[in-house]
């Protein structure tokens, strides 16, 4: 066959190949995504031309075929799309594809962080040279009287165009795979890449593999003869659910799609179908998964597509941080995919998409809450984590969520923020007009405090999820005239400061004496004894940790707030109820040793009721108790 034209591709950088190769080395599998997407585009273009009446020939069944030949070391991608004329090859491949590549090099040859740009810059057709020594195009355009054309290039700036051999409309790209890229000749590897990027492409993708089978007979060496047998598979679903109208889909469809994406996951709680075409284009389905305790484990489960081509599962800048735990698919041609991260953050479409998703999620939650409150309450322990996280991290979301966020009490009742205030304000307002919300973060350990609070008709909230530390602070800031106090942050009658003040019946001398006895009885550092006047019915001794101090320490432990507090030793208050008859008994006991034993016993009981008595101290307590009996 005669060569019709030999030419030199005019680009500024002579030596682009080694540079691009350096950048894309770790991500070179995207060549297949790029070539298959081009083939899909070509098929969709001919369909559109036919629909517009600009093409009247036979359309045939739209199809893209990928095949591998291990012996020849080639991968071919064939489509029955619109094809190209020799002129179009010159224009689109020589100029567009190569200028894209040289622009890339110009822009990024001084880039410091190669990782930033790997895969973010669609090199399109040129990426074929990542894995090939030689690339060949055979194509026949749909246009009347078009001649088949052939183009060959080794990735340098030299190319060759000659008469082609194609007899049917469409394009075949043949990659002569280079020595370093032979892994791509493995069918398993190709299947994996096609599955990752092409699972939901809009045109059927056929993957033809040659499998070795054993027919009758033996070869010359007496081994069983093998022949290649074509096994064809369509690897994709061309119309995944996010491309359909919600009205045409059932719950089963959504659940089946979820299973397809995450085969080993439990069913999701519910889902949101996203569909917007103005001011940006976006479709998708987001699922609320059942959350496991581990906060970070399920991140990066949302897959980002652009016109059904998989792009990435790093959606960090597109999806609000607090929704990163969601699963599902987002498809948008309006997200700039070929740019660096910092650009993405500044992009106005990306910002709009981010707030759209936040709004949709809020709307969906509001709808669930309004439609079936009971079902919503049942799911609250799972979705509460997202909602609280969102309220803490995004002002806009807080404003929406304040109407459907629930507070759960230790009695497992649920209230909205407004309902709860109405419930507790009459009893739990202190002398300064502040409403005190009492909460427990470890109801087992804090049981004695909860019971005491309940005895006073105080309600106790359950705040035991990983986010509740922050949520408590957030509520205190947002709700007017509200104080949040952990149930064990003070003796029950002092949790809410009221005007009534019970005096201790002890004289100053007696108080001093009692303080001395207890000081001696408590040998551990960090404990401060304090004599208070409480109701005689309340416990003789209560050990508490100051609310402010404890919160600062919690924050420091979670990596937020002032780490200074984290290094402080724990400090506790030991409140002695001067009005309790046990205190009287200790005072009237003559023997010093007996006084000390009683004091120790009373303190240990207080610690025991909070799960704070362990190890040798617990053993000593048990021994002492046995002796007392
Ligand atoms: P992009 O796809 O981003 O435009 P590419 O470098 O991948 O850039 O491709 C350049 C151009 O070459 C395409 O826009 C298209 O016009 C043409 N082209 C590539 N592959 C095919 C194909 N299989 N069939 C028809 N035209 C193609």
């Amino acid at each position: 066959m005669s060569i019709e034209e030999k030419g030199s591709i005019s680009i500024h950088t002579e030596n682009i190949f080694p540079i691009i190769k350096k950048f894309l080395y770790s991500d070179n599998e995207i060549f297949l995504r790029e070539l298959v997407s081009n083939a899909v585009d070509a098929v969709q273009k001919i369909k559109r031309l036919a629909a517009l009446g600009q093409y009247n020939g036979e359309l045939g069944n739209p199809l893209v075929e990928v095949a591998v030949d291990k012996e020849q070391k080639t991968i071919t991608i064939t489509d029955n799309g619109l094809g190209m004329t020799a002129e179009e090859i010159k224009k689109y491949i020589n100029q567009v594809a190569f200028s894209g590549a040289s622009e890339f090099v110009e822009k990024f040859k001084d880039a410091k962080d190669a990782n930033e740009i790997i895969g973010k810059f669609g090199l399109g057709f040129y990426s074929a040279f990542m894995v090939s020594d030689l690339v060949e195009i055979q194509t026949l355009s749909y246009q009347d009287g078009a001649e088949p054309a052939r183009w060959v290039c080794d990735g340098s700036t030299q190319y060759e165009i000659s008469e082609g051999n194609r007899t049917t409309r469409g394009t075949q790209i043949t990659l002569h795979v280079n020595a370093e890229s032979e892994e791509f000749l493995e069918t398993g590897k190709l299947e994996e890449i096609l599955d990752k990027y092409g699972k939901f492409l809009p045109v059927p993708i056929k993957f033809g593999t040659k499998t070795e089978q054993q027919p009758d007979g033996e070869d010359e060496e007496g081994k069983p003869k093998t022949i290649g047998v074509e096994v064809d598979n369509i690897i994709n679903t061309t119309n995944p659910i996010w491309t359909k109208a919600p009205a045409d889909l059932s719950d089963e469809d959504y659940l089946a799609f979820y299973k397809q994406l995450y085969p080993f996951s439990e069913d999701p709680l519910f889902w949101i179908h996203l569909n917007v075409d103005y001011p940006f284009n976006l479709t998708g389905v987001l699922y609320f998964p059942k959350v496991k305790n581990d906060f970070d484990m399920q991140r990066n489960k949302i897959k980002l597509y652009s016109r059904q081509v998989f792009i990435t599962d790093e959606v960090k800048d597109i999806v609000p941080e607090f929704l990163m735990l969601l699963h599902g698919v987002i498809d948008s041609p309006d997200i700039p995919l070929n740019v660096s991260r910092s650009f993405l953050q500044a992009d106005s479409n990306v910002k709009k998409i981010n707030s759209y998703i936040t709004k949709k999620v809020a709307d969906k939650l509001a709808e669930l809450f309004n439609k079936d409150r009971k079902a919503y309450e049942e799911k609250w322990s799972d979705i509460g984590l997202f909602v609280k996280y969102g309220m803490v991290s995004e002002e806009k979301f807080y404003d929406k969520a304040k109407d459907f966020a629930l507070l759960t009490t230790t009695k497992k009742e649920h209230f909205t923020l407004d309902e709860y205030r109405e419930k507790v304000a009459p009893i739990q307002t202190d002398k300064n007009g502040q409403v005190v919300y009492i909460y427990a973060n470890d109801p087992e350990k804090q049981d004695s405090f909860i019971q005491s609070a309940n005895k006073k008709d105080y309600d106790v909230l359950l705040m035991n999820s990983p986010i509740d530390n922050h949520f408590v602070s957030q509520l205190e800031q947002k709700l007017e005239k509200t104080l949040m106090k952990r149930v064990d942050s003070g003796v029950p009658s002092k949790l809410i400061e009221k005007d009534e003040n019970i005096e201790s019946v002890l004289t100053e001398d007696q108080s001093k004496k009692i303080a001395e006895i207890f000081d001696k009885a408590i040998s551990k550092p960090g404990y401060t004894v304090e004599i208070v006047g409480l109701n005689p019915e309340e416990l003789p001794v209560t050990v508490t940790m100051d609310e402010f101090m404890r919160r600062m320490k919690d924050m420091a432990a979670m990596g937020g707030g002032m780490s200074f507090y984290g290094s402080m030793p724990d400090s506790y208050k030991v409140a002695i109820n001067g009005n309790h008859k046990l205190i009287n008994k200790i005072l009237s006991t003559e023997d010093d040793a007996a006084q000390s034993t009683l004091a120790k016993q009373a303190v240990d009981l207080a610690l025991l009721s909070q799960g704070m008595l362990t190890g040798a101290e617990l053993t000593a307590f048990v021994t002492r108790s046995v002796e007392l009996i």
Side-chain angles (χ1 to χ4, degrees):
M1 200 180 296
S2 70
I3 295 166
E4 286 177 352
E5 179 177 326
K6 273 197 178 199
S8 183
I9 293 155
S10 57
I11 46 170
H12 317 294
T13 316
E14 284 295 314
N15 219 2
I16 44 182
F17 184 50
I19 299 176
I20 289 187
K21 192 164 174 172
K22 187 184 111 201
F23 279 132
L24 291 186
Y25 191 74
S26 67
D27 213 19
N28 54 1
E29 65 179 31
I30 61 154
F31 80 92
L32 195 58
R33 175 186 83 188
E34 296 299 325
L35 297 179
V36 171
S37 319
N38 279 348
V40 165
D41 287 348
V43 171
Q44 291 194 305
K45 279 178 192 161
I46 194 68
K47 282 206 286 193
R48 219 167 303 135
L49 287 170
L52 292 169
Q54 290 172 23
Y55 172 66
N56 299 315
E58 192 70 31
L59 256 188
N61 290 327
L63 188 69
V64 172
E65 279 184 76
V66 178
V68 60
D69 187 328
K70 261 185 127 160
E71 252 143 59
Q72 299 293 317
K73 303 199 171 163
T74 59
I75 299 171
T76 54
I77 297 106
T78 315
D79 65 70
N80 57 2
L82 82 176
M84 284 179 279
T85 62
E87 284 310 305
E88 285 168 336
I89 294 182
K90 285 182 213 165
K91 192 164 150 202
Y92 297 131
I93 301 296
N94 292 352
Q95 288 166 23
V96 175
F98 280 75
S99 73
S102 68
E103 193 187 313
F104 170 84
V105 171
E106 279 306 312
K107 241 188 191 146
F108 292 116
K109 68 182 165 202
D110 300 322
K112 284 183 196 70
D113 183 6
N115 274 326
E116 266 253 302
I117 47 175
I118 284 174
K120 303 287 180 215
F121 202 98
L123 284 174
F125 179 80
Y126 194 87
S127 62
F129 291 105
M130 296 306 312
V131 298
S132 316
D133 290 329
L134 196 81
V135 177
E136 181 182 353
I137 302 176
Q138 287 282 1
T139 179
L140 176 60
S141 165
Y142 75 98
Q143 289 166 46
D144 284 341
E147 300 282 345
R150 172 180 183 264
W151 175 94
V152 188
C153 180
D154 64 2
S156 72
T157 50
Q158 309 297 311
Y159 69 88
E160 231 179 75
I161 288 186
S162 56
E163 191 189 317
N165 63 6
R166 226 182 135 75
T167 52
T168 54
R169 189 199 69 228
T171 303
Q172 178 165 66
I173 314 276
T174 303
L175 311 180
H176 295 267
V177 173
N178 62 29
E180 307 97 88
S181 305
E182 288 191 1
E183 57 171 323
F184 296 115
L185 294 170
E186 300 298 329
T187 52
K189 180 74 181 170
L190 284 182
E191 261 164 4
E192 180 195 314
I193 304 172
L194 284 173
D195 187 64
K196 176 168 169 190
Y197 293 104
K199 213 199 307 242
F200 301 112
L201 283 170
V203 171
I205 314 294
K206 186 161 121 178
F207 183 45
T209 63
K210 285 192 174 165
T211 58
E212 303 291 308
Q213 283 211 346
Q214 299 192 351
D216 307 334
E218 295 173 345
D219 65 11
E220 304 86 82
E221 290 170 327
K223 289 185 193 142
K225 266 189 190 166
T226 58
I227 54 162
V229 174
E230 290 273 337
V231 177
D232 292 332
N233 279 321
I234 298 291
I235 58 105
N236 57 329
T237 308
T238 54
N239 49 355
I241 66 167
W242 77 82
T243 63
K244 299 180 189 172
D248 299 335
L249 295 162
S250 65
D251 287 0
E252 285 72 39
D253 294 328
Y254 286 104
L255 291 172
F257 183 62
Y258 189 76
K259 276 272 178 299
Q260 191 183 359
L261 291 179
Y262 317 102
F264 303 109
S265 297
E266 262 183 78
D267 279 355
L269 296 164
F270 57 89
W271 48 85
I272 300 169
H273 199 127
L274 307 169
N275 198 340
V276 57
D277 45 35
Y278 183 83
F280 51 86
N281 215 298
L282 180 125
T283 50
V285 180
L286 290 179
Y287 293 90
F288 270 71
K290 276 233 163 83
V291 188
K292 305 279 171 344
N293 281 335
D294 201 317
F295 218 43
D296 272 352
M297 222 178 67
Q298 310 282 321
R299 271 163 190 271
N300 286 335
K301 284 285 196 165
I302 299 176
K303 294 171 196 284
L304 179 64
Y305 286 76
S306 177
R307 297 183 211 276
Q308 295 173 240
V309 183
F310 172 76
I311 304 298
T312 177
D313 38 25
E314 280 187 29
V315 295
K316 203 160 162 268
D317 301 307
I318 297 146
V319 175
E321 166 76 16
F322 76 98
L323 293 175
M324 290 287 287
L325 297 175
L326 299 191
H327 294 175
V329 168
I330 291 174
D331 189 328
S332 175
D334 290 337
I335 298 170
L337 302 164
N338 306 326
V339 292
S340 71
R341 178 126 283 168
S342 53
F343 188 87
L344 199 59
Q345 282 166 345
D347 185 79
S348 70
N349 267 340
V350 169
K351 280 193 185 132
K352 279 183 217 146
I353 289 171
N354 199 302
S355 51
Y356 167 78
I357 292 174
T358 304
K359 183 181 174 309
K360 278 302 256 194
V361 168
D363 289 351
K364 178 73 185 187
L365 289 163
E367 179 199 312
L368 290 171
F369 171 77
N370 291 322
K371 225 167 67 183
D372 187 348
R373 167 111 182 221
K374 197 161 169 287
Y376 181 84
E377 285 184 1
E378 276 159 18
K379 287 181 191 152
W380 180 249
S381 64
D382 287 308
I383 52 181
L385 198 59
F386 295 102
V387 175
K388 289 172 180 175
Y389 191 14
M391 291 173 83
V392 167
S393 58
E394 257 181 63
E395 200 77 6
K396 267 196 210 142
F397 188 78
Y398 181 97
D399 292 338
K400 288 182 184 294
K402 66 180 183 333
D403 297 327
F404 55 73
L406 295 180
L407 297 174
T408 309
T409 70
T410 49
K411 294 171 184 154
K412 300 279 150 61
E413 299 162 311
H414 299 281
F415 297 91
T416 64
L417 298 184
D418 285 347
E419 288 164 358
Y420 193 71
R421 192 168 195 84
E422 211 167 290
K423 172 184 164 67
V424 299
I427 296 172
Q428 296 181 209
T429 302
D430 70 9
K431 61 180 185 196
N432 303 317
Q434 306 252 63
V435 181
V436 181
Y437 288 20
I438 303 168
Y439 66 96
N441 72 333
D442 190 340
E444 291 287 313
K445 271 194 184 171
Q446 294 152 351
D447 184 69
S448 68
F449 287 99
I450 296 170
Q451 290 202 27
S452 304
N454 286 162
K455 245 186 240 159
K456 294 187 75 73
D457 281 336
Y458 294 165
D459 189 76
V460 182
L461 289 170
L462 192 62
M463 291 287 184
N464 60 349
S465 84
I467 191 72
D468 278 336
N469 253 332
H470 297 280
F471 188 55
V472 162
S473 308
Q474 174 83 352
L475 284 181
E476 199 169 48
Q477 269 177 38
K478 286 280 183 181
L479 302 176
E480 271 173 34
K481 291 196 155 229
T482 304
L483 281 179
M484 306 293 298
K485 283 196 179 171
R486 202 167 89 178
V487 68
D488 58 349
S489 64
V491 288
S493 57
K494 296 277 158 97
L495 271 178
I496 301 172
E497 284 185 54
K498 305 255 178 161
D499 273 334
E500 76 238 25
N501 213 356
I502 305 173
E503 294 284 320
S504 164
V505 294
L506 301 182
T507 65
E508 214 168 293
D509 276 355
Q510 286 175 319
S511 288
K512 240 171 132 188
K513 175 88 182 134
I514 282 292
E516 264 168 36
I517 295 169
F518 274 90
D519 263 337
K520 249 191 252 157
I522 304 163
S523 49
K524 290 197 287 184
Y527 286 74
T528 322
V529 173
E530 190 187 37
I531 314 293
V532 290
L534 302 176
N535 193 313
E537 306 292 303
E538 290 198 45
L539 289 171
V541 178
T542 316
V543 178
T544 62
M545 190 177 190
D546 179 67
E547 175 74 18
F548 173 76
M549 189 65 182
R550 204 211 59 249
R551 250 195 251 178
M552 288 301 143
K553 284 181 80 84
D554 285 350
M555 291 281 191
M558 286 186 77
M562 287 155 280
S563 57
F564 152 75
Y565 287 102
S567 56
M568 303 267 287
D570 285 346
S571 66
Y572 297 97
K573 263 193 206 146
V574 180
I576 316 285
N577 181 0
N579 298 335
H580 196 278
K581 57 178 189 263
L582 176 68
I583 304 306
N584 219 346
K585 185 173 172 190
I586 293 176
L587 274 177
S588 55
T589 304
E590 300 283 302
D591 176 22
D592 281 2
Q595 272 182 339
S596 173
T597 305
L598 284 175
K600 275 201 176 112
Q601 197 71 359
V603 172
D604 282 357
L605 280 170
L607 291 172
L608 186 70
S609 74
Q610 285 164 258
M612 285 166 66
L613 195 64
T614 52
E617 284 160 344
L618 180 59
T619 314
F621 168 75
V622 173
T623 314
R624 198 184 322 118
S625 301
V626 171
E627 278 164 15
L628 284 174
I629 302 170

